[in-house]
């Protein structure tokens, strides 16, 4: 499943949910652009004590027992008949089961379902009717009681039941859409991961209890009906001539969370992959053209994975379908992958470059799961990270194969790697592997640690092992555990055998303990040798870790020199607190860089002399782009932690004035957005805007407004990013040109290219009035494409006047905004200004019941909380946030609330520590030379 974690403030993701991803020119600055960003830090025992008092320890885990093993399913015969008018469904289950020991009851998962009748019959024996159904609603279980013991052996369990097509975007739910004629209608769709198959039919809803499925859907005859497998029969339904009965082929052995069905109105485009798999992309009616890009990506991706894993795709077909109301970014149901419209549909004329990239990544992510997750499934949710971390890594490998011009691995560092480092430096982080019990705890681990840190440590592991042995180990793993379940340790065993390296020992230090090290490096020149002293300690967002028990990691450390910045001169495994290494043949005038490629998951603190020697590599671009980015990002993080002054980072940022690389600018932009947000609490806000204008003006002038012949994908992303940054910061020529182009766009004289819409919309709104907002809301209403509506929704919060901010917040909860998108409208308000942050927080509190009920405690509620409060920088706000959620509990967001409280305290401490120095530095920059 792809969340919009930090990426999805835009398809411009800032990465859905991956909640969401953002590798785009969504120029919303700080909190919005990188959801997972910490926006501040400090050090010292006093701070840590205050943090612990405010954030508290993690809540008591609820008692939880997995399902008994005395009865398990072999095959589910499932027939469902949804009513698209009354929003209910009828179901019949006929399950072949094995009784492993005699029992007079069967315990299954069941939620929001009413069982009408249930019976059990052994093969060839009499039917035994259940005498009672005991629902344990809290645990989402039902116990079926029988008058006598069910004997060991095979049998058939029959259950008739009814349920509701809910509006909560989970289980079997209804999704609202408009016909081309504008009529509102509903589709019936599913989202079962993690624990919501039980809302569609009574089942053994645990990933390790696999079975085959024979699914039949009884649906209106003019509707499309889809499931995991191909249709084998479609015939009239005897009781109603308006309905048809659609029967699907038997699935392979699979987990319940991967079952899916969709009933609605769709067009499709179709192709075949080079290895003979039928691929279809289903779109809203009349928009088949918008499925072609995803179809092209999918038909290239399936053979790539088949070749990479050396295991064929095991189903005859795969469908990718755009769902109107969808909480996540996408979901990897086997053979029927569901997507948000914005994660699948591309309009050749109206989609921006970042949307294409986003679609390519999401398709790559979900198709990787068809092997890694679906064919081999985690044994329990504790190992979720392996599913999601792996898919979040290999999606980049796949996109790099399909679109080498995207320079996607550099973008990985900005979109995933640094986001994970930021979150994992908090005291309220968690290890990659988390013991999960009760279903309410599962949603909590769909976060940037499971996805982005997971992906980052797999990238580090792949680099440590080498591609050939990595692929060999992956193939052995998939063949050994196909159609079964596996744990993290099983993968380590296969990779260890393939590579001969101590994989489990190395990786356990990264997955079983939270956090990561900061590697301190100093050097000494002796003749033609460079002696490096390297040490590690835990990195904390609040400053150096100084407790007695300092954890340490097994750290693969690579070292390069200015002689060949792309190639490692030496690799060592740092498995102790400190070591000394000698580099031969390094003259005194060469620089030495740790972690070339920014692959190792750690921060680096160079001695001042080493850092000084690296700075020319930033100015003359001899350092790789990814390493220029990593150097700046490390220093920014050290400044938040109070280990260096923020002024030092501002000085470094000025060295990037010649920078040509989009992703390096994107990361700089993010960090400046964080600073800008922080300084909105001080008198330095206008000065930091001037700093931003000065830094971005040269690249803005060089790029200009219009694309030039020979430019590519990354130029388009960079132009959007830079113009948005300059416009938001009040750069007058940019503002004037944005207003001119906006007027022509609105009047229909000259339509804005898709890549310029976000920056232009943002700029005119930031410096606009009520008439500007009304025009934007009109554009929203007229937009036929969800991407355009989302683009507008994300920037509405930039408006400045208090009464207009209120208008935007009210709009967020209106019928005009899809339920899953309300979060990004409110987040846009909170991320745009100090007034917006206060107004958004008040709005969330005043409307909490409606918002909480809408998202039923899923990951969107965590995202909403994070976007709304993460940017505060006053101690008392942490207490206020903590107090509110103590009286309005949101169990799936408890860790998010703690992380937000911690971030607020870190921001406040950062401000106290550095605000004056920053102010003085920015004033000195403005002073005319004497």
């Amino acid at each position: 499943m792809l969340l919009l974690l930090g990426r999805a403030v835009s398809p411009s993701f800032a990465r859905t949910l991956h909640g969401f991803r953002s590798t785009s020119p969504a120029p919303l600055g700080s909190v919005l652009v990188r959801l997972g960003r910490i926006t501040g830090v400090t050090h010292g025992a006093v701070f840590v004590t205050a943090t612990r008092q405010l954030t508290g320890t993690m809540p008591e885990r609820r008692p939880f027992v997995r399902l008994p093993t005395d009865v398990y399913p072999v095959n589910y015969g499932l027939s469902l008949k949804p009513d698209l008018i009354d929003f209910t469904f009828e179901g019949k289950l006929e399950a072949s089961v094995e009784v492993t020991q005699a029992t007079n009851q069967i315990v299954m998962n069941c939620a929001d379902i009413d069982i009408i009748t249930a019976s059990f019959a052994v093969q060839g024996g009499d039917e035994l009717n259940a005498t009672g159904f005991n629902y344990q609603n809290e645990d989402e279980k039902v116990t079926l009681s029988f008058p006598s013991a069910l004997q060991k052996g095979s049998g058939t369990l029959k259950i008739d039941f009814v349920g509701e097509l809910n509006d909560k975007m989970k289980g079997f739910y209804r999704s609202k859409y408009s016909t081309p004629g504008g009529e509102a209608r509903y589709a019936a769709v599913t989202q079962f991961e993690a624990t919501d198959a039980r809302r569609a039919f009574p089942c053994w809803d645990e990933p390790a209890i696999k079975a085959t499925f024979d699914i039949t859907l009884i649906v209106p005859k003019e509707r499309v009906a889809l499931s995991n497998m191909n249709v084998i029969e479609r015939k009239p339904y005897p009781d109603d001539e308006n309905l048809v009965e659609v029967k699907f082929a038997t699935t392979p052995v699979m987990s319940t969370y991967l079952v899916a069905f969709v009933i609605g109105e769709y067009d499709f485009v179709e192709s075949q992959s080079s290895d003979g798999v039928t691929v279809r992309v289903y779109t809203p009616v009349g928009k088949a053209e918008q499925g072609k890009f995803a179809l092209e990506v999918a038909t290239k991706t399936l053979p790539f994975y088949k070749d990479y894993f050396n295991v064929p795709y095991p189903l005859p077909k795969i469908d990718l379908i755009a769902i109107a109301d969808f909480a996540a970014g996408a979901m990897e149901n086997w053979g029927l992958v569901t997507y948000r419209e914005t994660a699948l549909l591309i309009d050749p004329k109206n989609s921006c470059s970042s949307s294409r990239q986003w679609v390519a990544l999401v398709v790559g992510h979900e198709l990787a799961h068809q092997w890694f997750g679906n064919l081999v499934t985690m044994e329990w949710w504790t190992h979720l990270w392996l599913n999601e971390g792996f898919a979040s890594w290999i999606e980049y490998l796949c996109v790099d194969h399909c679109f080498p011009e995207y320079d996607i691995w550099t973008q990985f560092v900005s979109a995933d790697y640094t986001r994970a480092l930021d979150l994992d430096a908090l005291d309220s982080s968690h290890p990659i592997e988390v013991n999960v019990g009760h279903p309410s705890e599962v949603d909590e681990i769909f976060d940037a640690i499971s996805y982005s840190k997971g992906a980052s440590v797999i990238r580090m592991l792949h680099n440590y092992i080498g591609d050939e042995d990595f692929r060999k180990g992956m193939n052995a793993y998939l063949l050994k555990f196909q159609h079964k379940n596996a744990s993290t340790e099983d993968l380590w065993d296969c990779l260890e055998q393939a590579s001969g390296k101590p994989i489990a020992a190395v990786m356990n230090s990264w997955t079983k303990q939270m956090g990561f090290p900061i590697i301190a490096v100093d050097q000494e020149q002796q003749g033609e040798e460079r002696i490096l002293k390297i040490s590690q300690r835990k990195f904390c967002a609040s400053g150096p870790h100084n407790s007695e028990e300092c954890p340490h990691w097994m750290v693969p450390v690579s070292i390069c020199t200015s002689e060949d910045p792309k190639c490692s001169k030496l690799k060592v495994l740092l498995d102790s607190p400190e070591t000394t290494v000698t580099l031969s043949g390094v003259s005194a005038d060469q620089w030495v860089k740790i972690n070339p490629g920014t692959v190792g998951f750690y921060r680096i603190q160079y001695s001042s002399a080493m850092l000084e020697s690296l700075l020319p590599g930033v100015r003359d671009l001899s350092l790789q782009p990814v390493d220029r980015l990593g150097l700046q990002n490390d220093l920014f993080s050290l400044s938040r932690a109070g280990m260096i002054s923020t002024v030092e980072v501002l000085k470094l940022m000025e060295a990037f004035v010649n920078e040509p690389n989009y992703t390096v600018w994107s990361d700089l932009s993010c960090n400046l957005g964080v600073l800008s947000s922080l300084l909105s609490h001080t008198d330095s806000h206008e000065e930091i805007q001037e700093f931003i204008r000065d830094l971005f003006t040269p690249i803005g002038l060089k790029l200009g407004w219009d694309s030039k012949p020979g430019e590519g994908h990354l130029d388009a992303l960079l132009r959007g990013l830079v113009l948005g940054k300059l416009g938001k910061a009040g750069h007058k020529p940019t503002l004037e040109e944005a207003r001119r182009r906006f007027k022509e766009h609105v009047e229909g004289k000259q339509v804005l290219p898709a890549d310029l819409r976000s920056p232009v919309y943002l700029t005119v709104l930031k410096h606009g009035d009520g008439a500007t907002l009304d025009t934007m809301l009109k554009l929203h209403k007229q937009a036929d494409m969800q991407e355009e509506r989302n683009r507008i929704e994300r920037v509405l919060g930039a408006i400045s006047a208090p009464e207009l901010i209120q208008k935007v917040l009210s709009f967020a909860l209106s019928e005009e905004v899809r339920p899953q998108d309300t979060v990004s409208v409110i987040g846009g308000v909170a991320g745009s200004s100090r007034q917006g942050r206060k107004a958004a927080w008040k709005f969330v509190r005043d409307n909490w019941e409606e918002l909480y009920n809408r998202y039923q405690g899923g990951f969107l509620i965590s995202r909403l909380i994070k976007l709304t409060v993460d940017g505060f920088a006053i101690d008392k706000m942490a207490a206020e946030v903590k107090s509110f959620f103590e009286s309005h509990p949101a169990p799936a967001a408890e860790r998010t609330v703690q992380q937000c409280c911690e971030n607020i305290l870190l921001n406040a401490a950062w401000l106290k520590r550095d605000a004056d120095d920053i102010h003085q530095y920015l004033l000195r920059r403005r002073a005319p030379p004497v």
Side-chain angles (χ1 to χ4, degrees):
M1 179 157 63
L2 190 71
L3 293 196
L4 303 182
L5 291 180
R7 320 189 205 187
V9 282
S10 82
S12 287
F13 198 87
R15 141 146 169 78
T16 14
L17 287 205
H18 344 113
F20 296 166
R21 283 190 200 248
S22 187
T23 44
S24 69
L28 297 193
S30 64
V31 188
L32 234 194
V33 175
R34 184 79 52 71
L35 303 184
R37 277 274 193 231
I38 302 181
T39 49
V41 289
T42 184
H43 60 290
V46 177
F47 170 82
V48 174
T49 309
T51 309
R52 296 218 170 103
Q53 286 167 353
L54 259 175
T55 58
T57 51
M58 280 310 288
E60 292 275 318
R61 289 307 193 189
R62 292 173 52 182
F64 172 74
V65 181
R66 280 164 71 165
L67 293 170
T69 53
D70 47 8
V71 180
Y72 69 87
V74 177
N75 170 271
Y76 291 85
L78 180 63
S79 172
L80 289 168
K81 181 167 165 262
D83 184 326
L84 299 174
I85 308 297
D86 293 336
F87 307 133
T88 57
F89 62 89
E90 297 170 18
K92 288 182 183 295
L93 175 66
E94 196 165 311
S96 304
V97 302
E98 282 294 321
V99 181
T100 57
Q101 58 185 64
T103 176
N104 63 355
Q105 57 184 35
I106 295 178
V107 182
M108 305 169 76
N109 292 114
C110 180
D112 304 333
I113 278 176
D114 287 324
I115 293 175
I116 315 295
T117 61
S119 67
F120 181 86
V122 294
Q123 272 182 337
D126 293 338
E127 210 161 333
L128 204 56
N129 287 316
T131 50
F133 318 131
N134 178 20
Y135 297 92
Q136 295 103 53
N137 291 339
E138 188 96 331
D139 289 331
E140 301 182 343
K141 290 176 184 171
V142 65
T143 302
L144 310 177
S145 301
F146 293 89
S148 58
L150 314 178
Q151 296 306 310
K152 198 170 160 183
S154 303
T156 302
L157 173 67
K158 292 182 183 176
I159 302 177
D160 288 2
F161 57 94
V162 293
E164 179 200 8
L165 286 174
N166 70 66
D167 60 355
K168 307 291 185 242
M169 295 185 284
K170 62 182 187 178
F172 197 12
Y173 71 92
R174 61 186 187 263
S175 170
K176 189 178 182 180
Y177 63 97
S178 295
T179 64
E183 182 194 339
R185 289 188 187 166
Y186 289 87
V189 302
T190 57
Q191 169 59 43
F192 291 164
E193 190 176 23
T195 57
D196 291 316
R198 62 194 65 176
R199 291 173 205 284
F201 56 101
C203 55
W204 287 263
D205 199 10
E206 295 183 359
I209 308 181
K210 290 187 167 187
T212 57
F213 290 80
D214 285 291
I215 290 170
T216 300
L217 298 174
I218 297 155
V219 302
K221 62 185 178 188
E222 73 286 358
R223 295 290 191 272
V224 172
L226 301 171
S227 187
N228 304 81
M229 297 296 288
N230 48 301
V231 174
I232 52 172
E233 188 180 20
R234 186 182 171 101
K235 61 183 184 186
Y237 182 61
D239 301 349
D240 185 338
E241 63 181 15
N242 295 311
L243 301 180
V244 289
E245 198 171 322
V246 184
K247 194 170 167 37
F248 298 89
T250 307
T251 69
V253 173
M254 62 189 281
S255 302
T256 48
Y257 80 89
L258 294 166
V259 173
F261 16 93
V262 175
I263 300 101
E265 295 175 281
Y266 301 93
D267 285 344
F268 67 86
V269 285
E270 178 181 319
S271 184
Q272 278 217 334
S273 68
S274 58
D275 41 0
V277 179
T278 300
V279 184
R280 283 183 176 180
V281 175
Y282 283 85
T283 72
V285 172
K287 296 186 177 179
E289 170 92 349
Q290 293 179 20
K292 285 182 176 172
F293 178 72
L295 184 69
E296 177 198 333
V297 176
T299 48
K300 281 184 185 172
T301 296
L302 283 173
F304 171 75
Y305 285 142
K306 178 194 171 185
D307 180 52
Y308 195 84
F309 297 130
N310 200 16
V311 174
Y313 174 73
L315 306 188
K317 64 93 177 177
I318 189 160
D319 298 327
L320 293 73
I321 185 165
I323 304 293
D325 293 323
F326 198 73
M331 176 64 211
E332 69 266 19
N333 317 297
W334 217 357
L336 177 57
V337 185
T338 46
Y339 295 78
R340 278 190 180 204
E341 287 187 7
T342 50
L344 190 68
L345 304 181
I346 291 295
D347 180 326
K349 289 196 186 69
N350 293 302
S351 288
C352 59
S353 302
S354 57
S355 292
R356 288 172 177 275
Q357 179 177 301
W358 176 225
V359 168
L361 283 166
V362 181
V363 169
H365 181 102
E366 303 309 335
L367 296 194
H369 278 310
Q370 306 302 305
W371 286 261
F372 207 96
N374 300 6
L375 182 64
V376 178
T377 309
M378 71 232 147
E379 194 279 331
W380 186 246
W381 299 109
T382 299
H383 306 282
L384 169 82
W385 84 271
L386 201 54
N387 249 16
E388 297 303 349
F390 184 85
S392 299
W393 167 75
I394 205 168
E395 69 186 64
Y396 283 87
L397 197 72
C398 165
V399 167
D400 193 44
H401 165 78
C402 295
F403 303 100
E405 69 276 17
Y406 285 9
D407 183 29
I408 204 73
W409 280 116
T410 306
Q411 296 194 52
F412 173 89
V413 173
S414 182
D416 281 85
Y417 170 96
T418 57
R419 206 171 91 251
L421 287 170
D422 284 343
L423 182 55
D424 205 28
L426 297 180
D427 287 343
S428 47
S429 182
H430 62 84
I432 282 180
E433 280 195 47
V434 181
N435 283 322
V436 172
H438 194 276
S440 67
E441 296 167 15
V442 179
D443 272 345
E444 252 191 290
I445 59 167
F446 281 91
D447 68 357
I449 298 295
S450 295
Y451 283 76
S452 297
K453 183 180 179 183
S456 299
V457 299
I458 286 171
R459 175 171 169 254
M460 178 169 68
L461 172 67
H462 174 263
N463 183 264
Y464 172 60
I465 294 177
D467 189 62
E468 192 181 332
D469 286 347
F470 187 86
R471 290 171 71 163
K472 208 186 298 173
M474 289 301 315
N475 172 255
Y477 171 80
L478 289 168
L479 291 178
K480 183 174 180 181
F481 294 101
Q482 59 185 328
H483 304 298
K484 301 191 186 91
N485 296 78
S487 68
T488 304
E489 287 68 28
D490 295 319
L491 179 59
W492 297 164
D493 288 347
C494 292
L495 291 172
E496 202 156 295
Q497 284 173 22
S499 67
K501 290 184 174 176
I503 305 302
V506 171
M507 293 307 290
N508 285 346
S509 73
W510 296 97
T511 64
K512 294 188 185 297
Q513 62 184 0
M514 77 179 207
F516 58 89
I518 179 166
I519 305 292
V521 197
D522 203 353
Q523 66 177 10
E524 187 188 328
Q525 186 76 22
Q526 291 183 0
E528 287 293 295
E529 291 185 338
R530 189 76 57 91
I531 315 296
L532 300 182
K533 186 181 175 193
I534 300 174
S535 62
Q536 62 160 305
R537 60 186 162 152
K538 185 179 191 299
F539 179 76
C540 297
S542 53
H545 180 88
N546 290 322
S547 79
E548 297 287 308
E549 294 174 21
C550 190
H552 77 275
W553 287 261
M554 292 183 76
V555 190
V557 175
S558 299
I559 305 163
C560 73
T561 69
S562 47
E563 190 179 24
D564 188 351
K566 290 187 175 176
C567 186
S568 294
K569 193 171 178 76
L570 184 67
K571 292 187 176 188
V572 292
L573 186 64
L574 178 62
D575 55 2
S576 58
E578 58 182 61
T579 191
T580 301
V581 298
T582 301
L583 293 175
S584 303
V586 179
S587 58
D589 60 348
Q590 289 183 12
W591 52 250
V592 169
K593 166 87 177 63
I594 306 294
N595 202 14
T598 313
V599 174
F601 193 73
Y602 46 84
R603 297 278 186 204
I604 304 170
Q605 185 174 26
Y606 291 102
S607 66
S608 51
M610 287 187 78
L611 183 59
E612 202 62 37
S613 71
L614 285 167
L615 295 186
V618 172
R619 288 193 186 87
D620 66 19
L621 311 179
S622 57
L623 270 172
Q624 294 183 79
V626 70
D627 289 331
R628 301 197 294 271
L629 186 163
L631 190 66
Q632 176 267 137
N633 198 282
D634 275 349
L635 288 176
F636 189 73
S637 193
L638 294 184
S639 74
R640 286 189 306 217
M643 295 165 73
I644 61 170
S645 163
T646 307
V647 169
E648 295 305 310
V649 184
L650 290 170
K651 287 177 182 170
L652 170 72
M653 285 176 168
E654 292 182 291
F656 282 85
V657 71
N658 301 319
E659 180 58 55
N661 185 279
Y662 158 69
T663 313
V664 178
W665 276 112
S666 175
D667 203 70
L668 267 171
S669 168
C670 258
N671 289 340
L672 281 167
V674 169
L675 266 185
S676 178
S677 172
L678 188 75
L679 295 174
S680 67
H681 300 270
T682 71
D683 298 334
S684 304
H685 196 246
E686 179 42 43
E687 283 78 7
I688 194 71
Q689 302 315 307
E690 185 179 357
F691 181 89
I692 291 168
R693 293 194 296 267
D694 288 350
L695 188 59
F696 279 79
T697 295
I699 183 76
L701 288 170
K702 186 178 166 192
L703 287 164
W705 277 83
D706 299 305
S707 58
K708 303 173 186 70
E711 283 189 348
H713 174 78
L714 293 166
D715 300 295
L717 293 184
L718 181 57
R719 179 173 289 108
L721 174 79
V722 170
L723 292 175
K725 203 70 179 173
L726 284 169
K728 190 178 181 192
H731 181 251
K732 283 207 168 53
T734 303
L735 174 55
E736 285 164 13
E737 182 66 6
R739 282 177 171 157
R740 185 186 74 75
R741 288 180 182 241
F742 182 66
K743 185 169 181 287
E744 290 197 337
H745 177 69
V746 172
E747 291 169 355
K749 289 180 185 167
Q750 180 72 52
V751 174
L752 276 167
D755 284 314
L756 291 182
R757 288 183 201 171
S758 276
V760 167
Y761 294 169
L762 175 76
T763 301
V764 298
L765 274 167
K766 180 74 184 170
H767 309 281
D769 55 14
T772 320
L773 180 60
D774 288 343
T775 304
M776 203 63 85
L777 292 174
K778 192 174 162 193
L779 284 180
H780 182 276
K781 202 172 184 66
Q782 291 167 352
D784 178 47
M785 199 181 176
Q786 193 56 31
E787 178 188 325
E788 177 73 355
R789 284 196 287 269
N790 283 172
R791 190 166 19 236
I792 294 167
E793 286 160 4
R794 275 192 294 273
V795 297
L796 289 173
I799 202 84
S800 300
E803 69 280 7
L804 299 180
I805 288 174
Q806 289 308 317
K807 186 173 178 178
V808 171
L809 289 168
S810 301
F811 174 75
L813 275 178
S814 71
E815 284 286 312
E816 298 292 316
V817 178
R818 286 190 181 161
Q820 72 266 24
D821 298 322
T822 295
V823 173
S824 51
V825 181
I826 298 171
V829 172
S832 286
S833 65
R834 188 178 178 181
Q835 306 89 293
R837 196 174 301 120
K838 286 181 179 168
W841 171 228
K842 183 175 189 306
F843 184 80
V844 167
R845 283 175 299 161
D846 291 347
N847 294 277
W848 178 251
E849 203 166 319
E850 181 180 348
L851 289 162
Y852 188 74
N853 188 44
R854 175 179 286 199
Y855 303 122
Q856 288 286 297
F859 37 73
L860 282 175
I861 209 79
S862 293
R863 188 168 149 62
L864 174 69
I865 293 166
K866 185 168 189 58
L867 284 174
T868 308
V869 305
D870 221 29
F872 284 116
I874 304 159
D875 286 349
K876 68 173 190 189
M877 284 307 304
E880 184 178 304
V881 169
K882 180 169 187 266
S883 166
F884 179 80
F885 288 107
E886 279 173 348
S887 54
H888 301 81
E894 281 177 34
R895 197 187 307 270
T896 298
V897 171
Q898 288 189 5
Q899 288 166 349
C900 289
C901 290
E902 187 176 348
N903 271 334
I904 294 167
L905 291 174
L906 289 165
N907 290 344
W910 190 10
L911 215 45
K912 281 184 201 128
R913 191 178 60 243
D914 275 6
D916 287 347
D917 288 350
I918 295 171
H919 189 61
Q920 291 307 317
Y921 173 73
L922 293 174
L923 288 178
R924 281 199 305 276
R925 280 183 78 254
R926 297 174 73 182
V930 178

